[in-house]
Amino acid sequence: QVQLVESGGGLVQAGGSLRLSCAASGSRFSVNAMGWYRQAPGKQRELVAVATSGGTTNYADSVKGRFTISRDNTLNTVFLEMNNLKPEDTAVYYCNAGGVNLDTWKYRELWGQGTLVTVSS
């Protein structure tokens, strides 16, 4: 059973930094794109950043220049380095991955359990 395991959330003051990690467990899963979404209280889930297996990245305008997404394809792991955090970055951050189950050859989209990031002013 393939699943995404996240770590790295927490409480930080405005201007501080945090690093999120997400690993896709299960060797029979070929991962393509991996990314991060977030959902603040009372708001819809939104894309934060995404990275393809080939290294192409995309960011939400609100985090450009402050957040960096990176991957270790050998470990099926994605990271989100968050710098100069602002109170409006407070949200539950969810890891997302898309890929193919190599046993069934079916495409699957996976979600992590979410990790809370709280930025105090």
Side-chain angles (χ1 to χ4, degrees), residues 44-107:
Q44 289 188 334
R45 191 174 296 189
E46 63 176 0
L47 175 69
V48 177
V50 63
T52 69
S53 58
T56 302
T57 59
N58 191 43
Y59 296 89
D61 288 341
S62 59
V63 306
K64 283 180 180 177
R66 300 187 298 121
F67 291 11
T68 302
I69 188 170
S70 61
R71 290 180 58 167
D72 183 334
N73 290 333
T74 62
L75 298 176
N76 281 341
T77 301
V78 63
F79 307 95
L80 186 68
E81 187 76 34
M82 304 183 292
N83 297 315
N84 190 20
L85 283 160
K86 304 175 180 181
E88 51 264 42
D89 294 318
T90 295
V92 177
Y93 284 70
Y94 296 92
C95 179
N96 174 272
V100 176
N101 183 311
L102 297 180
D103 291 323
T104 65
W105 292 103
K106 290 183 179 180
Y107 177 84

Side-chain angles (χ1 to χ4, degrees), residues 4 29-35 71 96-100 107-110:
L4 300 180
F29 187 71
S30 178
V31 181
N32 185 5
M34 299 187 79
R71 290 180 58 167
N96 174 272
V100 176
Y107 177 84
R108 290 188 62 190
E109 184 179 25
L110 304 175

